[in-house]
Amino acid sequence: YEDGDLEMLENIPLKESLTVTNRAVELLVEKSGLADVPLRESLMLVWGRRFSCDVATGMIPLGDLLNHRFYPSCAWESPTTESPDVWKLRAKMDMAPGDSLNFCYCEDPNHLLMTTSGFVVKENPYDRIMVRPRDLRQALLSVCNEESSEDFASWRKQQIEEQLPDPEEEGVGLSMYLVGRQPGGIQWNDLWLNMVGLAVTEDPNGEHWSATPEGLQMYLAAMEKASWSLFPQSLEQDFAQGEDFADANQEMAATMRRGYKELLKEAVDKLKDRLAAG
């Protein structure tokens, strides 16, 4: 991939991780004397075709050709003590000749699927948005109530920094969960929602923002603004750019970032409905 492909992800933690992975491969080429392109193709083959279970990871001929589906037609049955060398692929539904054989690789969000298997899934039911703490802090500070006293504003800023600290260990790609899809619905990070409440508070000794319709609207507007500020452009602006992609990498990047924005839009709309209903 090219640097421009990583920019199109609109995902700084993932961009950092892939950049480091790319550099690691470059160093391996330099130290080993192996040819760059064949090495990358080999790594892609192993990463994309490896087969994992609770006891091992390996390459299984034919078995590694089955595609991934979150709601699959088949499931693997692991070897047993009676048949330690036998894997069984069992249908989960009635099937006709020509039907696709597939199974669920994992229940991973798209950023993990991309890095471990080399693809993403539209409308991934396990997708989630991960963000660097520093970006969350910046987003919150941009929506803080400007009517607050200087003392409270200073204390609030300190609380935002303490509640959303940078990771203690050094590394790249380190991020926090913001919102995601899970079985049964969408789950927000409660800390994020609470911190937005702190951001819009004018006076901690005054009436709580949730006590009035105006306060609720102020909270929802701030939550929506802060959350969307984590992306450089909106979902509508993204789709307005069209579907003219230079290659498969750009198409995958577009699928991934639009999936994040569709998830965020759905999450914001459902939170608005829930809070409005009391």
Side-chain angles (χ1 to χ4, degrees):
Y1 48 78
E2 304 294 336
D3 290 342
D5 298 333
L6 298 183
E7 293 295 340
M8 291 184 68
L9 291 170
E10 296 183 8
N11 184 315
I12 295 176
L14 181 57
K15 174 188 173 183
E16 291 178 344
S17 296
L18 292 175
T19 298
V20 169
T21 300
N22 184 57
R23 181 53 183 157
V25 174
E26 290 176 346
L27 290 174
L28 181 58
V29 169
E30 293 175 9
K31 299 296 184 181
S32 67
L34 295 171
D36 185 275
V37 174
L39 175 60
R40 292 178 186 274
E41 291 177 344
S42 298
L43 289 172
M44 289 171 60
L45 178 64
V46 172
W47 288 339
R49 292 291 182 85
R50 72 190 187 284
F51 184 92
S52 298
C53 66
D54 54 352
V55 295
T57 297
M59 304 288 284
I60 300 181
L62 298 183
D64 67 352
L65 298 179
L66 273 66
N67 287 330
H68 165 76
R69 293 290 185 278
F70 282 119
Y71 308 104
S73 62
C74 305
W76 285 102
E77 294 183 355
S78 302
T80 63
T81 54
E82 293 78 14
S83 303
D85 300 322
V86 178
W87 285 83
K88 293 182 180 180
L89 184 66
R90 189 176 298 277
K92 300 182 67 175
M93 60 188 71
D94 293 336
M95 302 185 69
D99 286 350
S100 173
L101 300 179
N102 49 67
F103 73 104
C104 182
Y105 292 5
C106 56
E107 295 178 347
D108 282 347
N110 275 338
H111 71 278
L112 293 181
L113 282 177
M114 173 181 281
T115 54
T116 59
S117 298
F119 64 84
V120 298
V121 177
K122 286 186 177 181
E123 300 179 0
N124 185 331
Y126 301 97
D127 217 1
R128 57 179 181 255
I129 299 174
M130 307 294 294
V131 186
R132 295 184 305 176
R134 73 181 72 171
D135 296 326
L136 293 176
R137 296 196 300 268
Q138 183 177 349
L140 284 171
L141 292 173
S142 72
V143 297
C144 282
N145 195 315
E146 297 180 351
E147 301 299 322
S148 299
S149 68
E150 184 176 342
D151 286 344
F152 177 63
S154 177
W155 177 85
R156 177 173 56 202
K157 181 181 179 185
Q158 180 181 355
Q159 287 299 302
I160 290 174
E161 292 172 348
E162 290 180 359
Q163 295 298 321
L164 297 170
D166 291 321
E168 294 182 0
E169 68 273 19
E170 294 185 4
V172 296
L174 300 175
S175 55
M176 291 181 62
Y177 177 94
L178 177 69
V179 64
R181 291 192 176 93
Q182 298 188 11
I186 288 178
Q187 179 65 51
W188 281 93
N189 183 336
D190 287 338
L191 176 60
W192 172 250
L193 299 182
N194 291 336
M195 296 306 290
V196 173
L198 176 62
V200 301
T201 299
E202 177 182 351
D203 181 355
N205 298 315
E207 191 173 43
H208 193 268
W209 59 262
S210 63
T212 65
E214 295 78 11
L216 178 60
Q217 290 303 313
M218 179 178 61
Y219 172 85
L220 291 173
M223 183 273 300
E224 186 171 14
K225 179 181 178 182
S227 298
W228 278 109
S229 73
L230 299 169
F231 295 100
Q233 59 181 358
S234 68
L235 178 62
E236 293 74 20
Q237 291 171 325
D238 201 324
F239 276 112
Q241 293 180 348
E243 308 291 329
D244 186 18
F245 306 115
D247 53 34
N249 281 347
Q250 291 190 6
E251 183 176 2
M252 182 162 56
T255 298
M256 188 170 186
R257 68 171 186 268
R258 289 172 179 177
Y260 289 150
K261 295 171 186 178
E262 289 169 340
L263 165 59
L264 182 57
K265 183 178 186 304
E266 181 182 356
V268 169
D269 289 345
K270 287 188 174 181
L271 182 62
K272 284 181 176 180
D273 292 342
R274 178 164 63 86
L275 293 181

